[in-house]
Amino acid sequence: MNVPVVKVISTCMSIGIMVSINQRLDAETINIVAEEFGFKTEYVSAEVVEAINEEEDREEDLEPRAPIVTVMGHVDHGKTSLLDNIRQTNVIAGEAGGITQHIGAYNVKLKSGRRITFLDTPGHEAFTAMRARGAKVTDIAIIIVAADDNVMPQTVEAINHASAAGVPIVFAINKIDKPGANPEKIKETLAGMNYLVESWGGKYQSQDISAKQGLGVDELLEKVLLEAELLDLKANPDRRAKGSVIESSLDKGRGYLSTVLVENGTLKKGDIVLAGTYFGRVKAMFNERNQNVESAAPSAPALILGLNGAPQAGDVFHVLETEQEAREIATKREQLQREQGLRTQKILTLDDIGRRIAIGNFQQLNVIVKGDVDGSVEALSDSLIRLSTEEIQVNVIHKAVGQISESDITLAAASDAIIIGFQVRPSQAARRAADKDGVEIRLYSIIYDAIEEVKSAMEGMLSPEIKEVQTGYVEVREVFKITKVGTVAGCMVKEGKLKRANKIRLIRDGIVIYSGELGSLKRFKDDVKEVASGYECGLNIHNYNDIKIGDIIEPFEEIEVKKTL
Ligand code: GDP
């Protein structure tokens, strides 16, 4: 813009943003600042998608394509059994030959002659990880629930992950051959969650099945096809292919192998493929039965050889005209990726909300609510939803009891959501993932505080004056019961430090059990003021004795934070 830096900084200050000279600004701030100086801004996507000329398909070239289906559900409810059953019973005689290999996806032809493609990495983690990378591969999700069990936490997660992605759901109620099976109870629970199945007068299709005995599986697939018809899935086989990477690996003998799923066009041997930051000419292609193939049509998976690296699952691939073009885009992407890696990614924080509302481009706030007991999760979610105003819709895209998990972080990253934890904590892995992905986790011990903070953020007045800062991470290694003194814990300070004066929280399996103060803090026999990371110590908690091995003690300080606006 050819204006001195100080002017830019003072403009930022005038809108309440304190910046330094080498700080990156987010898009909204850039808009405002540029406008102040009479400039208009235009954004070039980091993905350089524009660099690839997308051919427009003409209506008459489009042909129906097979739906792409993912099976999700709670562990041991029968995902693998169902996928195996479908794979084994639907190989048509003439097509057989070669045992089905695991390449990440397979395509089956039903007796009716119609086809379905299954992604055979079951589980919603994979599903959402791919979505976080921009791939919307799945057309329909089968959510499997065991009829001799219940709607379990992972079932709820799977449903919420599918809903957040806007993917239609077909329920498969499994294990109906078992004596204790009660499919109606499952449907009742689903109804309670507002997922009313068809036999109960709702819009969700469901089918009772036994994956083990193959009962009802054909009917299930018919229902999937019915759902697919509504989606009117079409593709143009007569164009250069594009699609998504499902898996990739390095094979000692053959080089880089990638399984791709063609979404549009036809992928042929000899094509030049660009996937993520890698490219190459397709040297050979195999189908899921390890047979050499010359081409792969829309919705068909193929294992391809010839890329110069292993793209990530969820990366989009394109076929380009020349190798040079592919190389140029790959290099450019690599540069951008390196630069983005330097910049810490930031999804959305409560503090951003007020600013974005002021600019007027903020319409919905997605939140994930995790809590220690069902009652508080429900109460908190309901109150948050009630905060919705005409301008801003608050969506609780997932709520559950328990620790904040890695899969919550992936869902938040994919859905631009913030996570609100009530009396729960993220697991170590989730904490790391949140740092990496820039997902904001807000932890509260009082429901009212959580609601007030979100509310004031929505009103654009967020200014927390007292903020709790966690100053360490202490693991309980041993416990001793000593008469008159109570429970003494032998601990290890794993991160940060533990001060005698700190307030503390006791966490068990990610749930806050107790908040209070230390009664004593010792190293060997001596009382100490603080213990640093990597050292052992002994302590007891004032007025509290129920400490167990494996518990985590979290010291925290309350600090005053200056108002940001
Ligand atoms: P996943 O963890 O969801 O992939 O579940 P699996 O497919 O591995 O199944 C878990 C267990 O349930 C296995 O021991 C299966 O044999 C069993 N199972 C799966 N489907 C059925 C079914 O329809 N009937 C019965 N009786 N058992 C089943």
Side-chain angles (χ1 to χ4, degrees):
M1 298 190 297
N2 205 12
V3 293
V5 175
V6 275
K7 283 205 171 164
V8 175
I9 293 182
S10 64
T11 309
C12 286
M13 279 165 82
S14 72
I15 52 172
I17 303 165
M18 300 299 155
V19 290
S20 63
I21 186 166
N22 50 7
Q23 188 170 336
R24 284 176 188 277
L25 302 179
D26 56 25
E28 290 92 39
T29 318
I30 291 172
N31 285 344
I32 302 179
V33 173
E35 216 162 272
E36 281 291 307
F37 294 101
F39 287 90
K40 265 205 148 32
T41 40
E42 203 175 285
Y43 291 88
V44 180
S45 158
E47 301 294 325
V48 210
V49 185
E50 293 85 348
I52 296 169
N53 279 332
E54 286 277 354
E55 305 166 43
E56 281 282 330
D57 292 317
R58 284 177 308 174
E59 191 59 37
E60 61 264 33
D61 294 335
L62 293 176
E63 287 177 20
R65 68 167 174 86
I68 299 165
V69 176
T70 302
V71 178
M72 304 194 268
H74 196 73
V75 63
D76 277 351
H77 278 196
K79 296 182 289 288
T80 319
S81 308
L82 175 63
L83 283 164
D84 286 348
N85 180 289
I86 294 171
R87 185 167 18 208
Q88 279 153 18
T89 48
N90 287 289
V91 176
I92 300 293
E95 271 196 335
I99 302 157
T100 316
Q101 312 278 316
H102 171 87
I103 63 166
Y106 62 89
N107 181 277
V108 294
K109 192 166 168 186
L110 309 181
K111 291 186 193 83
S112 61
R114 298 174 65 184
R115 289 179 170 275
I116 301 181
T117 300
F118 285 90
L119 293 179
D120 74 351
T121 28
H124 55 266
E125 289 85 0
F127 173 83
T128 299
M130 284 183 76
R131 191 162 74 89
R133 301 195 49 75
K136 192 174 181 296
V137 183
T138 305
D139 299 312
I140 293 166
I142 295 181
I143 307 274
I144 193 164
V145 196
D148 65 335
D149 200 356
N150 236 319
V151 170
M152 298 298 278
Q154 282 175 7
T155 318
V156 178
E157 268 189 45
I159 293 175
N160 290 341
H161 281 229
S163 296
V167 171
I169 295 172
V170 175
F171 289 102
I173 318 276
N174 190 27
K175 307 199 189 180
I176 50 162
D177 57 302
K178 279 199 156 180
N182 186 357
E184 292 311 305
K185 192 185 84 188
I186 304 290
K187 289 170 201 167
E188 188 183 333
T189 317
L190 290 174
M193 295 163 53
N194 260 335
Y195 286 89
L196 213 54
V197 301
E198 240 172 355
S199 56
W200 280 54
K203 63 171 181 169
Y204 292 93
Q205 306 226 45
S206 102
Q207 177 65 41
D208 297 351
I209 63 163
S210 163
K212 209 165 179 178
Q213 303 185 350
L215 296 174
V217 177
D218 287 345
E219 288 84 348
L220 173 69
L221 298 183
E222 283 307 316
K223 290 186 173 167
V224 167
L225 285 171
L226 210 69
E227 202 66 45
E229 253 163 46
L230 297 178
L231 294 173
D232 193 23
L233 303 166
K234 287 194 169 148
N236 171 11
D238 294 320
R239 55 167 273 173
R240 288 204 297 257
K242 67 170 252 197
S244 299
V245 176
I246 306 292
E247 271 184 12
S248 40
S249 58
L250 178 60
D251 181 284
K252 277 212 188 80
R254 296 192 285 177
Y256 289 102
L257 304 178
S258 306
T259 302
V260 298
L261 197 55
V262 178
E263 277 149 29
N264 203 357
T266 298
L267 181 64
K268 302 189 196 74
K269 206 164 129 180
D271 276 349
I272 300 190
V273 169
L274 169 73
T277 53
Y278 302 104
F279 68 97
R281 190 180 288 276
V282 178
K283 281 193 258 171
M285 263 204 305
F286 300 91
N287 65 11
E288 63 272 41
R289 287 180 300 282
N290 209 16
Q291 294 161 321
N292 225 311
V293 291
E294 291 296 314
S295 67
S299 293
L303 184 73
I304 62 171
L305 260 69
L307 290 186
N308 64 352
Q312 279 183 286
D315 274 343
V316 172
F317 84 83
H318 283 93
V319 169
L320 299 180
E321 203 140 8
T322 65
E323 193 155 334
Q324 189 191 351
E325 196 185 350
R327 185 191 312 272
E328 271 168 19
I329 300 175
T331 317
K332 212 163 171 184
R333 282 184 180 171
E334 209 178 326
Q335 264 171 8
L336 272 167
Q337 216 173 52
R338 215 174 311 133
E339 193 171 299
Q340 272 187 331
L342 294 176
R343 160 177 14 174
T344 39
Q345 258 193 35
K346 201 163 153 214
I347 306 281
L348 174 72
T349 66
L350 269 190
D351 300 278
D352 291 342
I353 295 171
R355 194 145 36 87
R356 283 181 51 179
I357 290 169
I359 302 163
N361 68 347
F362 194 75
Q363 281 99 29
Q364 58 177 14
L365 171 61
N366 290 336
V367 288
I368 294 175
V369 178
K370 296 293 285 250
D372 58 342
V373 291
D374 201 43
S376 25
V377 172
E378 292 300 324
L380 185 52
S381 312
D382 286 351
S383 314
L384 289 172
I385 291 168
R386 271 201 301 271
L387 292 177
S388 296
T389 61
E390 261 170 36
E391 293 84 32
I392 309 160
Q393 172 83 25
V394 180
N395 298 325
V396 175
I397 57 169
H398 177 53
K399 57 182 175 191
V401 171
Q403 195 173 44
I404 297 168
S405 66
E406 255 182 297
S407 116
D408 293 330
I409 309 289
T410 16
L411 179 60
S415 314
D416 207 2
I418 59 171
I419 300 179
I420 292 185
F422 176 72
Q423 291 287 61
V424 290
R425 289 292 179 275
S427 66
Q428 288 287 82
R431 207 185 289 266
R432 271 193 296 273
D435 278 347
K436 190 173 131 271
D437 293 344
V439 169
E440 183 176 38
I441 303 178
R442 289 250 165 177
L443 303 170
Y444 299 93
S445 311
I446 299 169
I447 289 193
Y448 175 80
D449 283 350
I451 298 164
E452 275 307 296
E453 248 181 60
V454 174
K455 190 169 157 204
S456 36
M458 286 172 59
E459 285 165 354
M461 317 195 306
L462 186 73
S463 52
E465 290 187 314
I466 304 259
K467 203 171 162 189
E468 283 178 10
V469 181
Q470 185 190 335
T471 53
Y473 186 86
V474 182
E475 217 174 75
V476 176
R477 294 266 168 96
E478 276 171 282
V479 288
F480 313 94
K481 300 247 188 300
I482 299 172
T483 29
K484 287 195 189 134
V485 182
T487 307
V488 173
C491 301
M492 175 67 148
V493 181
K494 304 275 282 186
E495 276 172 30
K497 56 175 119 171
L498 175 64
K499 290 189 186 157
R500 172 70 180 82
N502 281 148
K503 290 190 169 172
I504 56 103
R505 281 210 179 84
L506 186 70
I507 320 253
R508 187 170 301 152
D509 300 326
I511 301 217
V512 180
I513 305 283
Y514 183 76
S515 298
E517 288 161 7
L518 287 181
S520 66
L521 179 64
K522 287 180 196 281
R523 271 196 49 75
F524 303 106
K525 294 225 151 27
D526 308 324
D527 280 308
V528 288
K529 279 221 173 80
E530 63 175 56
V531 181
S533 162
Y535 289 96
E536 293 180 331
C537 60
L539 58 83
N540 75 343
I541 299 177
H542 188 60
N543 276 340
Y544 190 80
N545 287 319
D546 177 28
I547 310 177
K548 294 210 167 77
I549 295 177
D551 284 354
I552 301 298
I553 292 172
E554 227 183 60
F556 64 93
E557 277 169 10
E558 288 170 333
I559 56 161
E560 271 197 36
V561 182
K562 286 207 188 79
K563 289 196 182 194
T564 46
L565 284 175

